[in-house]
Each structure stands twice: as C-alpha cells, then as structure tokens.
C-alpha cells in the first residue's frame, strides 16, 4: 500500500503496528483478562461487562484530543467533532435522569464528588456522610480521603436492630451540627434510600443535599429505585457500575449551581476531559434509554433477591435480612469465616466477590466479617433466578468446606460449565 510504504520510508510505520507486535507482554495480559472474565462468575457489586459499542468508543482516536473548556467555549482548536460528542452526551444524560444541568467531564466517581465539594464548600465547613463501615464511601468524609482532610466530618449510621439507615439520628445530628452539606448514597447498602426524607432533614438544618448514586444509577434511570434528582441539589454518579458504561463519573445539579459546578470540574479539579470516555458515556446513555435496559435492571434486582434468599437459606446471615437493590451483604463470620478468607476461597473457585465490613463489625477493615455480593455483571451475561440458586450452592460449598482443595477444584468445574453457557466477549 502506497501510504504504508511512504510511512515506512519516513519512519512512521509504528502507527500501523498491532498491539501484539509492539507489546506482546501487555497484549498477553489483555488476553488473560478476557479469559479470566469469561471464566469467572463476577459478583463484585461495582463491576459490570460493557458492550462492544462502548469499548469501541473508549478505544477511539478521541484519546488524542485536548479539549479544555466546554462545548463552544474551548481553549484549543479542532474541537468540532468533540463538541458534537459532548453535546450529545449532555443531552442524553439530561433526558435519562430528568436533570436540569449535567456535567459529563468527571474522570471518576471520586472526582465527581470532589468537584461538588469544591463548588460549595470552604475548608473548615462541616459535612455529614454515612459511616464507611456502615455502607458509605471513602469520599463521604473518611479521614483517609481528601474529603476527610479539610472539612469537619459528622457521620450517620444504620440502626443496630434492622441495619437500615437511622434517619432519626441523621435528623438529630443535622440539627446539632448544621452541616453545610449532607451526603447520602452508599457503596454497601442493600435497602431503598429515602431521598425525600433526607431532603426534609436538609431543609430543617439548612443544609445542601448531595446524593451519590454511583451504585444504583442504572436502577434509578429505569424506575427500579426512586430518583433523588427532584430533591437533591447535586447528584453524583459513576457510569461504570449498574449504568454499564465506561469507567468514569457524572454530575447532575440544579440550574442555580450550574456555573459554580462547571468551574469546579474545570479548571477546579481537572484538566482536559477524556473525550474518548465521554463518547463512550454517550453510547452507554443511548443503551440505557432502550427498553431492554429496563428489563436488564429489573432482572438485576430479581437476581439479587433470589441470590440473597438462597445464600440465606444455606445458613449465612444476610445483613438487614435481604435486599431491595442489586447487592447484599452476608455476614460470613456468622459461620466462623472472615471476609478476607471467604473472598480468597471463592476466588480460587473463580467466583469473585469482595470482603466488606458489616455494620458494627468486630473485625478490622482488611479482614472484615462480611462479603458484598452483587448481580449486575452476571445479569449482563444472561443469568437468571434458577442460576442464582446454583451460584448460592457453589458459594456455600466452598465456604462450608473452609476452602478444601478438592471442593474448590470441583466447584471451579461447575463455574466453568455455567460460564460457558453464558459467553461474554
Ligand atoms: C464507587 C463509588 C465511588 C467512586 O467511584 P470511582 O470511580 O472509583 O472513583 C463514589 N461513591 C460511591 C458511593 C461509590 O460506590
């Protein structure tokens, strides 16, 4: 080919070489990961398998583009196609979430939260978030995260009796501390969150409200969980969990905060947007507007209920007694196994979950008494309720045998058979 020869002659043929040619080590690792995902029952509640369409957009030449600023107001030339992409992503997100204003540039969920804090908080302000060990997220005020460094942090909890959010405590703490911002939303909470009630609490204490729906965004846009958008001043989310888009973030806010928020994202906490990722977000929003996506999210919830029920039937205590969403927590220490050991035993059988503290945990976070189990990824593969019963039995066999090698080898075979019936890529 003339073009290729010319490039060879000028030394630019490297642009055309395949990944396997340029970097066999990384190419091999990618192939190992494809195989691992195909052969694994992925029960990590925050993970999912994206479509080829999303992967294609993520791997596109938009990665080459600098586009600091916003559509129509860029600091760089050549942003025509970029503006098309970002405008489409914004319009789709507004429609999907029924939002007044959205910013599609956050690189991640953590940076989305950081941008909101930059938009409305000053160092020394008081914020209130859910305690990490009760289901909250690091970025909701934990001392190990930026969010716990410059603000005074007050944490609310779940009740000991039923392991559900203690709204009365939240209300009392809000009255006592008058936080500038109350953060709700969680990483390990299996029950419906009462956003309307939280708005009332915020109004009584004069606080702004932020709902971080990183985990449940897919459920929300399909009516499988009430939406915080009518109530919250800010709604932040990731796009890669139940929403099944690229690894990234998104912020929704009331029109009155639009300018401050956009300034906080860029130039406040980020530089150039990841235009290839914004393109992939737009694709995933398009997918999320299809009727099949609603069926998918409804099935996630059905599967989570079926799996929680079956794991409970196998004798493991389920935190709060069940689930309303895509995940549940099981207290494996109720059977004398730590979360850490449980996670490792299951991983050996190609079932991936993560250890997690449970409310009022007696173990350290790196050990933990619980496992967090979620159904978004296995539901993407096409598994349904009867398969959840099978999975629960496999989990129980591994844990009850305390990781016995013979049992693990046998369960691994069963996992492989199940995975082969539901290929991903
Ligand atoms: C996952 C998660 C985040 C962080 O998302 P990253 O993209 O990993 O930074 C923030 N908040 C909650 C509630 C989450 O579950």
């Amino acid at each position: 080919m003339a073009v290729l020869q010319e490039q060879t002659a000028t030394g630019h043929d490297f642009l055309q070489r395949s990944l396997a040619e340029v970097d066999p080590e990384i190419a091999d690792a990618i192939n190992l990961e494809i195989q691992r995902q195909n052969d694994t029952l992925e029960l990590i509640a925050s993970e999912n398998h994206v479509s080829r369409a999303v992967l294609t957009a993520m791997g596109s030449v938009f990665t080459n583009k600098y586009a600091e600023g916003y559509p129509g107001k860029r600091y760089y030339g050549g942003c025509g196609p970029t503006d098309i992409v970002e405008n489409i992503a914004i319009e789709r997100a507004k429609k999907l979430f029924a939002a007044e204003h959205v910013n599609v540039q956050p690189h991640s969920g953590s940076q989305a939260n950081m941008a909101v804090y930059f938009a409305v908080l000053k160092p020394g302000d008081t914020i209130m978030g859910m305690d990490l060990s009760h289901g909250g997220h690091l970025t909701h005020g934990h001392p190990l995260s930026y969010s716990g460094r410059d603000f005074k942090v007050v944490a609310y909890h779940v009740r000991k009796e039923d392991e559900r959010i203690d709204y009365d405590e939240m209300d009392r703490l809000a009255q006592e501390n008058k936080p500038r911002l109350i953060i709700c939303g969680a990483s390990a909470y299996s029950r419906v969150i009462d956003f309307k009630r939280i708005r009332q609490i915020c109004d009584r204490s004069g606080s702004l409200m932020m709902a971080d729906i990183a985990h449940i965004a897919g459920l929300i846009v399909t009516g499988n969980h009430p939406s915080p958008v009518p109530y919250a001043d800010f709604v932040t989310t990731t796009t890669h969990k139940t929403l099944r888009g690229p690894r990234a973030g998104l912020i929704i806010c009331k029109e009155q905060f639009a300018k401050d928020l956009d300034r906080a994202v860029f130039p406040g906490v980020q530089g150039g947007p990841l235009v290839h990722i914004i393109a992939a977000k737009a694709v995933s929003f398009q997918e999320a507007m299809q009727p099949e996506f609603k069926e998918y999210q409804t099935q996630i919830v059905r599967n989570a209920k079926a799996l929680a029920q079956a794991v409970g039937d196998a004798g493991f205590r389920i935190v709060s007694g069940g689930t309303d969403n895509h995940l549940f927590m099981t207290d494996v220490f109720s059977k004398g196994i730590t979360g850490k050991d449980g996670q490792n035993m299951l991983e050996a059988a190609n079932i991936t979950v993560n250890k997690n503290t449970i409310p009022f945990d007696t173990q350290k976070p790196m050990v933990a008494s619980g496992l967090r189990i979620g159904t978004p990824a296995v539901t993407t593969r096409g598994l349904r309720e009867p398969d959840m019963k099978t999975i629960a039995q496999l989990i129980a066999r591994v844990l009850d045998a305390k990781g016995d090698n013979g049992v693990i080898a046998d369960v691994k075979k069963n996992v492989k058979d199940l995975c082969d019936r539901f290929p991903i890529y």
Side-chain angles (χ1 to χ4, degrees):
M1 226 165 68
V3 176
L4 267 182
Q5 272 160 14
E6 202 176 308
Q7 281 170 343
T8 309
T10 55
H12 289 294
D13 63 320
F14 71 92
L15 281 170
Q16 306 298 333
R17 284 191 214 140
S18 72
L19 175 63
E21 241 182 300
V22 174
D23 193 337
E25 279 179 294
I26 294 298
D28 285 350
I30 291 173
N31 285 328
L32 279 177
E33 179 61 8
I34 293 171
Q35 200 184 334
R36 188 194 70 81
Q37 291 187 19
N38 275 325
D39 294 348
T40 298
L41 285 174
E42 185 53 73
L43 297 172
I44 294 176
S46 50
E47 294 195 12
N48 213 328
H49 304 289
V50 300
S51 67
R52 276 195 190 280
V54 168
L55 284 176
T56 302
M58 288 172 83
S60 71
V61 293
F62 274 120
T63 193
N64 297 334
K65 190 72 199 95
Y66 244 110
E68 283 180 356
Y70 291 99
K73 293 166 287 192
R74 305 283 187 186
Y75 290 80
Y76 289 80
C79 287
T82 293
D83 281 5
I84 294 175
V85 161
E86 187 164 349
N87 279 324
I88 289 175
I90 290 168
E91 284 316 308
R92 287 182 187 162
K94 276 175 135 173
K95 195 167 157 207
L96 195 56
F97 288 95
E100 289 180 19
H101 179 77
V102 307
N103 188 306
V104 296
Q105 292 193 3
H107 301 334
S108 70
S110 293
Q111 280 193 284
N113 290 350
M114 185 186 260
V116 172
Y117 304 160
F118 263 60
V120 296
L121 300 175
K122 295 185 303 297
D125 278 352
T126 299
I127 61 172
M128 217 167 97
M130 190 170 179
D131 191 287
L132 179 69
S133 67
H134 285 223
H137 190 261
L138 280 164
T139 58
H140 297 180
H142 193 276
L144 290 176
S145 123
Y146 66 83
S147 62
R149 212 186 63 174
D150 299 332
F151 311 119
K152 181 168 172 267
V153 180
V154 180
Y156 58 87
H157 305 88
V158 298
R159 285 183 294 254
K160 197 150 195 177
E161 314 88 82
D162 59 359
E163 295 163 302
R164 294 176 189 229
I165 293 173
D166 188 344
Y167 296 98
D168 293 334
E169 182 205 38
M170 188 192 283
D171 194 16
R172 182 171 54 73
L173 290 173
Q175 288 302 313
E176 284 169 17
N177 297 283
K178 304 283 181 203
R180 170 91 175 123
L181 180 70
I182 296 181
I183 302 152
C184 60
S187 294
Y189 184 67
S190 64
R191 295 303 183 172
V192 169
I193 297 175
D194 190 346
F195 295 122
K196 191 174 175 189
R197 173 97 197 261
I198 297 170
R199 176 77 259 174
Q200 289 163 355
I201 292 171
C202 289
D203 286 343
R204 271 165 48 77
S205 60
S207 309
L208 292 167
M209 173 176 171
M210 179 181 115
D212 177 349
I213 57 168
H215 264 265
I216 54 175
L219 273 59
I220 285 172
V221 299
T222 54
N224 284 289
H225 188 291
S227 172
V229 173
Y231 306 112
D233 300 293
F234 296 92
V235 177
T236 59
T237 185
T238 62
T239 49
H240 50 277
K241 297 179 184 175
T242 51
L243 206 51
R244 206 167 62 186
R247 185 164 296 282
L250 173 80
I251 306 170
I252 293 158
C253 72
K254 299 287 185 204
E255 193 59 49
Q256 68 184 108
F257 300 108
K259 274 213 177 80
D260 286 343
L261 176 75
D262 286 349
R263 266 199 298 264
V265 174
F266 171 81
V269 302
Q270 291 189 175
L274 311 177
V275 184
H276 55 309
I277 301 298
I278 294 173
K281 284 183 227 190
V283 174
S284 67
F285 301 155
Q286 173 84 317
E287 290 176 348
M289 284 189 267
Q290 306 311 311
E292 306 87 74
F293 193 73
K294 184 167 182 155
E295 281 169 40
Y296 162 57
Q297 297 291 327
T298 307
Q299 189 61 45
I300 290 178
V301 177
R302 283 200 206 110
N303 281 350
K305 279 192 202 308
L307 190 54
Q309 176 76 46
V311 169
D313 289 347
F316 295 90
R317 191 178 81 82
I318 307 298
V319 171
S320 87
T323 177
D324 302 323
N325 60 25
H326 63 298
L327 63 77
F328 64 93
M329 313 270 293
T330 175
D331 174 3
V332 287
F333 204 59
S334 66
K335 280 218 194 175
I337 304 156
T338 65
K340 182 182 174 200
D341 289 342
Q343 175 188 318
N344 290 337
M345 291 171 201
L346 290 170
E347 180 169 352
N350 287 356
I351 299 172
T352 41
V353 298
N354 63 281
K355 63 174 174 284
N356 217 108
T357 50
I358 57 170
F360 311 99
D361 209 322
T362 52
Q363 306 291 316
K364 292 195 193 84
M366 285 307 286
V367 178
S369 296
L371 295 176
R372 187 183 67 165
I373 299 180
T375 54
V378 289
T379 307
T380 290
R381 293 184 84 142
L383 278 73
R384 291 176 166 267
E385 291 96 321
D387 310 307
M388 297 303 120
K389 279 201 177 143
T390 308
I391 294 176
Q393 283 156 7
L394 296 175
I395 290 173
R397 277 181 62 199
V398 170
L399 297 181
D400 285 337
K402 302 271 195 285
D404 172 85
N405 284 338
V407 172
I408 284 179
D410 191 51
V411 168
K412 202 168 165 176
K413 262 192 229 129
N414 285 286
V415 168
K416 175 87 171 104
D417 290 345
L418 193 52
C419 288
D420 285 348
R421 280 174 43 218
F422 298 94
I424 316 170
Y425 296 119

